[in-house]
Amino acid sequence: MYAGVMGDLVDSFGRVHRDLRISVTDRCNLRCTYCMPAEGMDWLPRSQVLTFEEIHRVVRVLVERFGIRSVRLTGGEPTVRANLDELVTALAGIRAAGAPLDLAMTTNGTTLASCAARLASAGLGRINISLDSLRRERFAELTRRDDLADVLDGIAAALDAGFDPVKLNVVVMRGVNSDELVDFARFGRERGVSVRFIEFMPLDADEQWSPSAVVGQDEIVATISKEFPLEAVVRGSEPAQRFRYSDGAGEVGVIPSVTRPFCGSCDRVRLTSEGALRNCLFASEEVDLRAIMRGGGSDDDIERAVLAEVRRKGPGHAIGSTTFVRPRRSMSQIGG
Ligand code: SAM
Ligand code: SF4
């Protein structure tokens, strides 16, 4: 049902878009097996990556023309982009309907010990830290880097810097880390961070994904509930289905992209590091905003291109069905 007003970024199914995810770099200092190949990707030449000024311009136009309210910085690994705090400062100056933008970041946490405080002062409000194993050897196998201690320090630094909330993103893969669900729940309860378990999606560069590797929401919740009973929280428009601990010790979330897709209430658009706007993680097409900007295009040209791209957004992905088409880009190239 159409729920927007004139000027909203509405697709042909009536979904109003309020959330922009920006990949600030395609580079990364880890090589998670479910995301990148061991040798990394062919990194983009720096001249092809959007400048901070170009990113700021796209955000300003989307906020002013379409009422985008929240922006999440991601990658690749966003914190490997030099002077990221300068971008945060610039974005924090943009007003959405008179209020500051809701600014968040998804990071692997390895560098947070040295940059969390600076990013918080620059205006970053919320943070998600990705961590898929609490066991040092397994972490090293999964990320192909022996950096678990740095991530744990990064989580502590994020809490000290006052990000609210600090969430942990855990991609659950059967036979890989599915025996750590309760360990992660305990970790979250003890540290005061909310853990979000993510169903494994077919966006790995190595194309090793298979349906049997997915651990679905029901199994995740049943496994944790045996140790720490959980109750469902009524689902809002956010992708995560939330569950609170019956004893009041916080909550966990599950992002059930595969077993319970939330495409019907999707409010996201994505900007890749080289300036392509995508209407979906799984989109097969995108529009090149960098070409418009570097070709001397106006804000009106950007507005028209964005609207056309969103209007051709499909109803949803079809993971698991015969009609599903894997996107050409992997997660790190799109910006998760
Ligand atoms: N490097 C940062 C990080 O790892 O948090 C940000 C970029 S990463 C691509 C964003 C999120 O995508 C991470 O939480 C990561 O775990 C998730 N992700 C990557 N590949 C995935 C896959 N195949 N299925 C589900 N989630 C995936
Ligand atoms: Fe890097 Fe994040 Fe992909 Fe891991 S999930 S390889 S940390 S971009």
Side-chain angles (χ1 to χ4, degrees):
M1 195 182 69
Y2 175 68
V5 293
M6 260 232 324
D8 281 339
L9 191 51
V10 187
D11 67 18
S12 60
F13 299 91
R15 292 170 295 196
V16 182
H17 295 73
R18 299 276 184 225
D19 184 50
L20 172 66
R21 311 230 144 189
I22 303 173
S23 173
V24 296
T25 178
D26 60 325
R27 295 170 195 236
C28 189
N29 54 346
L30 300 185
R31 298 283 183 276
C32 302
T33 51
Y34 56 79
C35 180
M36 279 199 196
E39 64 280 12
M41 314 290 285
D42 290 330
W43 308 130
L44 291 167
R46 286 180 202 279
S47 61
Q48 290 187 23
V49 174
L50 290 191
T51 63
F52 286 168
E53 290 72 25
E54 288 167 332
I55 293 175
H56 181 272
R57 182 174 176 197
V58 173
V59 175
R60 180 183 53 73
V61 170
L62 265 71
V63 168
E64 286 175 2
R65 309 282 173 110
F66 295 124
I68 287 286
R69 291 188 195 130
S70 61
V71 169
R72 177 172 295 271
L73 305 179
T74 178
E77 171 49 35
T79 64
V80 303
R81 175 106 187 225
N83 307 318
L84 184 68
D85 54 311
E86 291 174 12
L87 176 66
V88 172
T89 302
L91 296 180
I94 296 177
R95 289 281 170 277
L101 273 177
D102 168 27
L103 276 179
M105 178 173 77
T106 302
T107 169
N108 63 31
T110 50
T111 67
L112 281 181
S114 61
C115 66
R118 210 166 49 243
L119 290 169
S121 314
L124 191 70
R126 301 185 293 122
I127 203 157
N128 285 46
I129 301 171
S130 305
L131 175 60
D132 307 302
S133 179
L134 293 165
R135 303 180 192 177
R136 181 175 166 189
E137 280 182 17
R138 183 179 285 176
F139 178 95
E141 260 171 52
L142 260 170
T143 62
R144 301 178 177 114
R145 301 287 186 272
D146 186 13
D147 288 345
L148 175 61
D150 290 342
V151 180
L152 296 176
D153 288 349
I155 294 169
L159 289 165
D160 283 349
F163 290 114
D164 186 19
V166 174
K167 292 183 181 171
L168 281 197
N169 284 7
V170 181
V171 178
V172 187
M173 293 157 284
R174 190 175 305 285
V176 176
N177 62 352
S178 44
D179 55 348
E180 289 190 62
L181 293 172
V182 172
D183 293 349
F184 269 112
R186 186 176 295 110
F187 181 91
R189 288 164 60 92
E190 286 171 356
R191 312 284 164 115
V193 296
S194 170
V195 181
R196 290 149 54 103
F197 296 99
I198 304 175
E199 291 181 357
F200 184 26
M201 293 184 280
L203 288 168
D204 52 320
D206 284 341
E207 304 204 9
Q208 295 300 305
W209 183 91
S210 80
S212 61
V214 177
V215 181
Q217 172 175 305
D218 293 347
E219 189 178 335
I220 292 171
V221 173
T223 306
I224 296 171
S225 281
K226 279 190 202 142
E227 185 72 23
F228 304 116
L230 288 167
E231 299 159 12
V233 176
V234 177
R235 192 166 185 172
S237 61
E238 58 190 337
Q241 168 69 62
R242 291 158 52 211
F243 297 85
R244 73 169 77 86
Y245 291 112
S246 305
D247 64 4
E251 61 176 53
V252 293
V254 181
I255 310 220
S257 326
V258 180
T259 65
R260 287 183 177 78
F262 35 85
C263 304
S265 58
C266 178
D267 71 345
R268 294 180 178 175
V269 287
R270 294 168 191 274
L271 185 66
T272 69
S273 51
E274 76 262 57
L277 188 99
R278 296 173 64 85
N279 61 33
C280 175
L281 257 183
F282 296 94
S284 50
E285 291 169 295
E286 47 195 35
V287 63
D288 185 354
L289 299 186
R290 186 188 66 197
I292 295 174
M293 290 190 282
R294 294 190 186 175
S298 65
D299 289 355
D300 288 346
D301 293 328
I302 298 174
E303 176 182 346
R304 270 192 292 276
V306 170
L307 192 56
E309 190 56 34
V310 167
R311 286 196 171 145
R312 65 176 174 160
K313 179 163 175 161
H317 69 66
I319 298 176
S321 89
T322 48
T323 54
F324 177 69
V325 184
R326 257 187 96 100
R328 280 191 310 278
R329 292 176 185 268
S330 68
M331 193 68 145
S332 71
Q333 295 171 309
I334 300 170

